[in-house]
Amino acid sequence: MQKLEGKIYSIFALSAILILLSNCSGERQEKIKEQRPNIVFIMSDDHASRAISCYDGTLNQTPNIDRIASEGAIFTNSFVGNSICGPSRATMITGKFSHKNGFLANYRSKFDGSQQTLPKLLKANGYNTAIVGKWHLGTTPTGFDYWNVFPDQGDYYNPDFIDNGDTVRLNGYATNLVTNLAINWLNEKRNPDQPFMLFVHHKAPHRNWMPDTAKLDMYDGHEFPLPFNFKGDFSDRGKASAEADMGIWKTMSWSHDMKFTDYPTEWEHYKPDGEWHAKRYPQVELGRMTSAQRALWDDYYESRNAEVKEGLKSGATSLEEHIQWRYQRYMHDYLATISSVDDNVGRLLDYLEANGLDDNTIVVYTSDQGFYLGENGWFDKRFMYEQTLRTPFVMKYPGQIKPGTKVDKFIMNIDYMPTLLSYAGVGVPQDIQGRSFHTLLNEQPVSDWRNSIYYHYYMFPGTHSVKRHFGVRNERYKLIRFYHDIDEWELYDLQEDPNELKNVYDDPNYQGIVAEMKEVLRANQEQYEDSYELAMDYLENNRW
């Protein structure tokens, strides 16, 4: 009997302990829910969605970015309102389109740091705020307790940083250094009594795609298939595409892009680099390297470049073969820089987990816009076509976002600010043009969400000669109006023509759709307070 009573007592004691542990766990979860979340916002520069394996899966592998998606949500229809670096960044932190935040283009514009921004609102509501890496808005960062950013674009090797006003040079590879600074701030500089918002902004994979020395041979032996319309036939599009200067052959430089310190000038198809490109690569980019870095770099590139020059000089390599070779070098370098980004996303995620910060931290990975990876024979961005209009966006928040969530609704970069404010419990100002998409993540139907998006690009005349244009996209159709020195309309049926090769604006069978999409355009411009007349006013008054 005593033995039985002892067993019963043990069972009751064990049950009590389990209940207590369960209650503690429940209390912990409730406490986490009551706490305002930390925010880690990781952004790269020019990262095409199809160069992320959770979006495409065939080009390269990005297991750490995929980890954010699998532990949280992936957004399959994420778009930007102006596909160029500075304006996109300004839009993200203001929740407003370019014509409202005043930063329309990378040149001639400077961001007005006195205006309302995401970091300012979070800081005013008790958040400890910091940014490391790329700022690229032409003015000093405001709204941050701590900032340590590249001057302008930054450099891949041994870059300069402006550390709260003081310029210092750090030895190492930029992507690794940005993560080092982020972890150092989390470890030593943040206020542990406050929730935090940390922007981790990478230079990569921005042009000119200089891999870490440890990644130089990562894709050796791998040949990437040529993408659609690689030869750039724009006969069914219009002048805007035909006149753009962003071809892998005609625009990429021998030095800055292809990594040659000298080039085969005797080749009949050779086009000399511009003065900036010819000096920038050998004098600045290679000049920043340590002797050890330079030795590894030269050992890899110079021997391969010698083979290319010999093939061109002897006539063994045709023009078409050389153009395809250029594409392979571009892809090898571009994707190798992304591998470093993904490694460092993993480092940051591991740090959060190891230090007990992951449970109550929102982690976002995105890019300032998409990028061309040889589609239409192009690199770069700017156009409203899908490759650069789309941008990756994955986000996790344990306990609040169900792992494996997939969101197909249209989101835009004007929505990032109100979404993060909403999760932080901070009121969203009435003048914000975006909308919080936290409602799309709680598995409840949202009937009044947007079914179209608006776009406006201003930076012409300018680099790559992409004409000014605005337009709208819904689930099936895209309408674009090019203006300035041309006045052309384009309409694409994305269901029948997903690669946007045939403009059907003048097709008699689509005139009803043209009328419908012009009404969608009118409604978007009315909602966001933009117009052709306002665009022409910017132009006539030289305000981009």
Side-chain angles (χ1 to χ4, degrees):
M1 178 65 92
Q2 288 179 343
K3 288 183 178 181
L4 178 61
E5 289 175 348
K7 288 181 179 180
I8 294 172
Y9 176 79
S10 297
I11 292 170
F12 276 121
L14 180 60
S15 299
I17 292 171
L18 290 173
I19 291 170
L20 180 61
L21 290 173
S22 176
N23 286 341
C24 288
S25 177
E27 288 172 4
R28 181 170 179 270
Q29 292 301 319
E30 287 302 316
K31 186 176 181 181
I32 288 173
K33 288 180 181 178
E34 291 173 5
Q35 293 174 341
R36 290 183 295 169
N38 304 310
I39 300 166
V40 174
F41 190 94
I42 309 169
M43 183 164 67
S44 57
D45 194 308
D46 294 344
H47 195 169
S49 294
R50 78 180 188 98
I52 298 177
S53 46
C54 62
Y55 277 95
D56 182 86
T58 59
L59 195 61
N60 62 330
Q61 293 300 304
T62 51
N64 294 298
I65 298 171
D66 295 359
R67 187 169 145 197
I68 300 173
S70 64
E71 294 176 8
I74 182 170
F75 291 77
T76 61
N77 284 302
S78 171
F79 303 103
V80 296
N82 185 357
S83 183
I84 190 69
C85 303
S88 180
R89 293 163 189 270
T91 295
M92 290 180 187
I93 63 170
T94 62
K96 300 175 183 177
F97 281 96
S98 301
H99 65 281
K100 286 293 186 181
N101 66 51
F103 196 78
L104 278 68
N106 282 346
Y107 311 117
R108 299 187 193 170
S109 295
K110 287 190 180 296
F111 182 69
D112 177 7
S114 68
Q115 67 185 293
Q116 168 187 275
T117 62
L118 172 62
K120 283 185 180 179
L121 290 173
L122 289 175
K123 183 177 179 180
N125 284 274
Y127 270 74
N128 195 191
T129 59
I131 180 172
V132 294
K134 192 164 186 176
W135 173 241
H136 196 42
L137 290 178
T139 52
T140 298
T142 56
F144 297 97
D145 295 301
Y146 174 80
W147 52 275
N148 199 340
V149 299
F150 299 125
D152 194 39
Q153 296 278 3
D155 290 282
Y156 275 106
Y157 279 87
N158 308 323
D160 292 338
F161 284 86
I162 307 174
D163 183 351
N164 278 33
D166 297 323
T167 300
V168 295
R169 181 170 295 190
L170 299 181
N171 287 331
Y173 186 66
T175 308
N176 303 331
L177 292 171
V178 168
T179 305
N180 292 349
L181 291 172
I183 290 174
N184 178 261
W185 182 81
L186 290 168
N187 258 334
E188 300 181 11
K189 294 182 172 64
R190 73 179 176 92
N191 185 343
D193 297 324
Q194 292 179 274
F196 65 81
M197 181 213 70
L198 172 62
F199 284 179
V200 184
H201 288 187
H202 292 292
K203 172 182 175 63
H206 192 278
R207 190 182 186 186
N208 65 336
W209 322 292
M210 294 180 72
D212 190 349
T213 52
K215 303 277 188 180
L216 291 176
D217 62 354
M218 182 174 184
Y219 289 101
D220 277 8
H222 186 93
E223 184 165 340
F224 294 97
L226 297 180
F228 71 84
N229 196 31
F230 182 72
K231 293 186 177 180
D233 178 6
F234 304 118
S235 56
D236 288 328
R237 268 194 182 172
K239 290 182 181 178
S241 290
E243 295 181 12
D245 181 23
M246 49 202 291
I248 288 173
W249 161 239
K250 71 174 184 176
T251 311
M252 280 189 177
S253 72
W254 282 97
S255 54
H256 185 63
D257 301 313
M258 292 292 103
K259 320 295 193 296
F260 283 74
T261 52
D262 63 317
Y263 0 93
T265 55
E266 69 279 1
W267 192 40
E268 63 176 328
H269 296 290
Y270 165 68
K271 298 179 182 180
D273 288 353
E275 183 178 356
W276 185 90
H277 287 122
K279 291 181 177 179
R280 173 77 187 173
Y281 175 68
Q283 296 180 14
V284 178
E285 288 155 349
L286 298 185
R288 299 186 74 87
M289 291 182 174
T290 64
S291 58
Q293 290 166 343
R294 181 67 185 270
L296 290 169
W297 188 269
D298 287 349
D299 182 62
Y300 181 80
Y301 282 104
E302 290 304 311
S303 60
R304 289 162 175 79
N305 291 352
E307 293 177 8
V308 173
K309 288 186 285 187
E310 180 58 34
L312 297 176
K313 184 177 181 179
S314 66
T317 304
S318 68
L319 173 60
E320 183 171 346
E321 288 171 331
H322 180 63
I323 293 171
Q324 292 185 21
W325 174 87
R326 281 183 168 237
Y327 175 68
Q328 298 303 323
R329 172 154 288 187
Y330 166 43
M331 293 300 290
H332 285 208
D333 289 351
Y334 178 88
L335 293 175
T337 68
I338 287 173
S339 180
S340 291
V341 172
D342 188 72
D343 289 348
N344 280 278
V345 169
R347 285 181 61 204
L348 200 47
L349 293 177
D350 290 345
Y351 174 88
L352 295 173
E353 290 182 8
N355 289 273
L357 293 171
D358 58 314
D359 278 347
N360 194 43
T361 297
I362 294 170
V363 179
V364 167
Y365 182 84
T366 189
S367 176
D368 50 2
Q369 62 261 323
F371 209 68
Y372 285 105
L373 301 182
E375 301 92 346
N376 303 315
W378 288 340
F379 70 102
D380 208 69
K381 54 259 184 175
R382 302 164 202 268
F383 274 112
M384 195 188 167
Y385 304 131
E386 289 294 286
Q387 290 72 33
T388 59
L389 176 67
R390 287 182 174 274
T391 190
F393 193 92
V394 294
M395 175 181 183
K396 78 183 188 84
Y397 183 12
Q400 298 293 313
I401 300 175
K402 183 179 177 180
T405 297
K406 180 181 178 183
V407 179
D408 296 323
K409 296 285 189 182
F410 289 179
I411 68 165
M412 297 194 68
N413 54 354
I414 54 172
D415 300 327
Y416 301 172
M417 178 179 178
T419 299
L420 295 175
L421 289 176
S422 178
Y423 274 114
V426 177
V428 178
Q430 290 296 311
D431 61 343
I432 297 300
Q433 292 185 300
R435 178 178 174 184
S436 173
F437 50 72
H438 78 280
T439 53
L440 302 179
L441 293 163
N442 59 15
E443 299 185 317
Q444 295 179 357
V446 181
S447 60
D448 63 341
W449 193 257
R450 71 166 65 90
N451 54 24
S452 64
I453 60 104
Y454 181 65
Y455 183 89
H456 199 154
Y457 174 82
Y458 301 87
M459 201 167 144
F460 181 86
T463 306
H464 297 302
S465 300
V466 175
K467 308 294 187 181
R468 297 177 186 229
H469 59 288
F470 55 77
V472 285
R473 182 205 193 279
N474 64 16
E475 186 174 350
R476 178 166 178 175
Y477 300 103
K478 182 183 294 180
L479 180 70
I480 308 172
R481 182 178 185 178
F482 292 93
Y483 68 95
H484 182 254
D485 60 341
I486 62 173
D487 187 1
E488 291 186 346
W489 290 84
E490 294 182 359
L491 176 72
Y492 296 97
D493 184 338
L494 300 174
Q495 179 175 296
E496 300 298 321
D497 178 25
N499 293 327
E500 301 167 289
L501 297 179
K502 186 172 179 57
N503 174 20
V504 294
Y505 181 81
D506 293 322
D507 188 325
N509 296 318
Y510 281 89
Q511 293 314 293
I513 300 300
V514 168
E516 290 177 17
M517 291 302 290
K518 283 188 173 181
E519 178 57 28
V520 174
L521 175 62
R522 184 204 62 77
N524 271 268
Q525 289 190 322
E526 182 177 297
Q527 176 183 353
Y528 298 121
E529 299 179 331
D530 195 19
S531 65
Y532 172 73
E533 289 74 23
L534 183 60
M536 294 307 293
D537 179 65
Y538 290 138
L539 179 59
E540 290 167 5
N541 289 286
N542 201 29
R543 291 188 289 125
W544 279 100

